Amino acid sequence: MGKPNLSFWQIWNLSFGFLGVQIGYSLQNGNTSRILEALGADVHSIGYFWLAAPLAGLIVQPIIGLSSDKTWTRLGRRIPFILFGAIVSALAMFFMPNAEYFTYLLPPLAFGAVMLLLMDTSFNVTMQPFRALVGDMVNDEQRNLGYSLQSALINFGAVFGSLLPWILVKIGLSNVPAAGEKVAESVIWSFYIGGAILLATVLWTVLRTKEYAPKEHAEYNNIDLNTAEDKPKENIFKLIGNAPKIFWQLGIVQFFSWFALFLMWVYTTRAIANQVWGPAALDAKSVGFNEAGDWTGVMFAFYSGVAALFSLLIPSIAKSIGRKKTYSFSLFMGGLGLISMFVVEDKSMLLLSISGVGLAWAAILAMPYAMLSGSLPAEKMGVYMGLFNATITLPQITAGLLGSTIIVLFGGEPMAIIVIAGISLLIAGLAVFFVKEKVQE
């Protein structure tokens, strides 16, 4: 017996908490470099601090995936992990922008780095079960809708999270640190608001979603519970060895996609500060640099808005031309958008460049999971989704380790790294054509 069709609002509720998680994640992406530079980090070494995020994901997500596969509670299978991660994420968001006030524990830069590690670890604890929850609950017919709707919610959250510091400046908060302080008031309050919304939206999913009980889950996925209990336990290495081919094929696409995204997130603020605001923005506490930081948030919000709208179109486009063509086209547009930033010196025109990234981002959030989940055994959905996260974290670790070297090779010019990110997305778009799906379109 197959899984029943869910209503639109049931699928919406499955992923609604991801809206708040992405608000927090976007605040982290758009403001971490800004905060760390204000706390004393150098642009040449900033990428090393960002390594905390992918390292956390590499370790945490497979563990959480394996654990949630085997966990059945009154709240459900995935939801306990989603709730726990959200609580810790919110607490870390409250503390990170206030690192300068905890000098009795650690130097401000060290405290900020620890909060970044804790924040991203808990984001990973929350995100991985959300991916598996859709795979658990949604049938094959609704899979494109399930992951595309999740992508749309993620991007609506990203729009708000990216714009939040800019919005707070518009209503009167300062975007420059006060005398004797390190982090701007608008950034601090953005993290407070983002953390509160994160908790509220996750609670919505927790209270509105009822996961399938073990017997229902077994019936819908043709699992014999008695036989399953007798199977020998598989370790992580054996699971990796038995992964379907599409796991590795999509992994190559993911590598070049996330290598590009990491470079973009880390270096955009400094790149546009140098190119658009010029010498006035060299000081991380200057008005020019902080205006560049706010505009980075606007740019990230813009591409997230484009992604949110495009996510709603992906199911119909993929049905018409196929998942692979939809995925590849989106990545090509993202690559061309990033490369075009090299010749743009007007901040408004940067929005046109970054719109291509919006198409790529929407596809990156939806298409790999829609293509992969149909090839995974239902009883191991969580652990394989967790292992698949390595295709996100390893390229980011690589980018973090190489970023400082690349920036030195190009004479300290961060915009050169943005161009390299664009080329990486073009390579990812080409790699899509080598992916062989289990079910043909």
Side-chain angles (χ1 to χ4, degrees):
M1 181 172 63
K3 299 174 193 174
N5 280 339
L6 302 181
S7 71
F8 175 86
W9 292 111
Q10 285 176 306
I11 297 175
W12 173 280
N13 291 338
L14 286 177
S15 295
F16 187 69
F18 225 142
L19 178 78
V21 175
Q22 190 61 38
I23 289 173
Y25 196 60
S26 297
L27 283 167
Q28 173 187 288
N29 287 342
N31 296 279
T32 292
S33 290
R34 180 181 182 180
I35 292 171
L36 293 176
E37 281 201 52
L39 294 175
D42 180 76
V43 67
H44 294 87
S45 61
I46 198 77
Y48 294 129
F49 289 94
W50 278 77
L51 288 175
L55 283 170
L58 181 65
I59 297 168
V60 170
Q61 290 220 19
I63 295 172
I64 296 300
L66 183 61
S67 299
S68 65
D69 279 342
K70 301 179 181 301
T71 298
W72 298 96
T73 70
R74 290 181 62 186
L75 283 177
R77 189 185 190 193
R78 316 293 183 186
I79 285 176
F81 295 91
I82 291 171
L83 181 59
F84 173 76
I87 292 170
V88 178
S89 297
L91 290 174
M93 290 184 70
F94 297 151
F95 286 118
M96 185 180 179
N98 292 298
E100 61 188 292
Y101 300 114
F102 293 88
T103 52
Y104 59 90
L105 294 176
L106 288 170
L109 184 57
F111 187 86
V114 170
M115 287 301 103
L116 173 61
L117 176 61
L118 182 61
M119 183 164 53
D120 207 86
T121 300
S122 52
F123 280 152
N124 277 286
V125 170
T126 304
M127 287 177 175
Q128 195 284 329
F130 265 120
R131 298 288 191 200
L133 183 63
V134 173
D136 287 344
M137 301 291 292
V138 176
N139 62 28
D140 291 344
E141 181 183 345
Q142 294 184 304
R143 183 170 289 120
N144 282 352
L145 174 62
Y147 283 111
S148 295
L149 186 57
Q150 186 173 87
S151 177
L153 284 166
I154 288 170
N155 283 297
F156 284 126
V159 171
F160 183 75
S162 299
L163 278 178
L164 192 51
W166 181 80
I167 292 170
L168 293 181
V169 170
K170 291 298 181 183
I171 64 174
L173 273 67
S174 174
N175 75 332
V176 179
E181 297 185 353
K182 297 182 182 296
V183 180
E185 181 184 30
S186 60
V187 175
I188 294 173
W189 276 98
S190 294
F191 274 65
Y192 290 165
I193 295 169
I197 295 175
L198 187 158
L199 279 177
T201 56
V202 167
L203 283 173
W204 179 278
T205 288
V206 169
L207 296 174
R208 296 277 180 167
T209 299
K210 183 179 180 181
E211 296 186 64
Y212 298 133
K215 288 186 178 179
E216 286 179 301
H217 177 77
E219 288 175 4
Y220 292 149
N221 292 285
N222 299 315
I223 298 171
D224 186 330
L225 290 177
N226 295 323
T227 303
E229 289 175 1
D230 294 335
K231 286 184 178 179
K233 293 183 178 180
E234 293 183 283
N235 59 42
I236 293 293
F237 297 105
K238 190 171 182 180
L239 287 166
I240 293 173
N242 292 332
K245 286 184 179 179
I246 193 173
F247 182 98
W248 303 105
Q249 293 163 347
L250 285 170
I252 295 172
V253 180
Q254 288 276 88
F255 181 90
F256 288 103
S257 299
W258 286 91
F259 184 87
L261 291 170
F262 185 90
L263 293 179
M264 181 190 74
W265 289 330
V266 174
Y267 293 102
T268 294
T269 295
R270 176 50 68 187
I272 68 169
N274 288 7
Q275 184 153 306
V276 179
W277 277 264
L282 293 177
D283 183 356
K285 296 181 182 179
S286 67
V287 172
F289 180 81
N290 282 282
E291 286 182 353
D294 288 343
W295 196 250
T296 296
V298 173
M299 289 171 61
F300 286 6
F302 190 81
Y303 88 67
S304 297
V306 171
L309 297 175
F310 187 61
S311 295
L312 299 176
L313 299 175
I314 282 179
S316 58
I317 296 173
K319 186 176 182 180
S320 175
I321 66 173
R323 290 171 179 161
K324 287 170 62 172
K325 290 180 181 178
T326 304
Y327 194 8
S328 182
F329 167 77
S330 304
L331 294 173
F332 281 138
M333 293 303 294
L336 293 174
L338 287 178
I339 291 170
S340 72
M341 287 173 61
F342 184 75
V343 296
V344 177
E345 295 184 357
D346 178 83
K347 69 176 187 179
S348 297
M349 291 300 294
L350 287 170
L351 297 178
L352 182 59
S353 296
I354 207 73
S355 62
V357 176
L359 303 184
W361 181 235
I364 289 167
L365 291 176
M367 300 313 295
Y369 302 98
M371 295 167 77
L372 177 65
S373 58
S375 299
L376 297 178
E379 70 275 15
K380 298 171 184 173
M381 181 75 70
V383 67
Y384 271 120
M385 285 292 186
L387 289 171
F388 190 63
N389 189 63
T391 67
I392 294 174
T393 56
L394 289 176
Q396 292 184 70
I397 293 169
T398 304
L401 293 173
L402 293 179
S404 60
T405 302
I406 296 171
I407 203 169
V408 170
L409 288 175
F410 285 91
E413 178 49 63
M415 189 56 76
I417 293 188
I418 302 300
V419 173
I420 291 171
I423 294 170
S424 185
L425 277 180
L426 295 180
I427 295 171
L430 288 172
V432 172
F433 290 106
F434 295 94
V435 176
K436 297 186 183 301
E437 292 190 80
K438 179 180 178 182
V439 179
Q440 298 298 318
E441 302 295 341

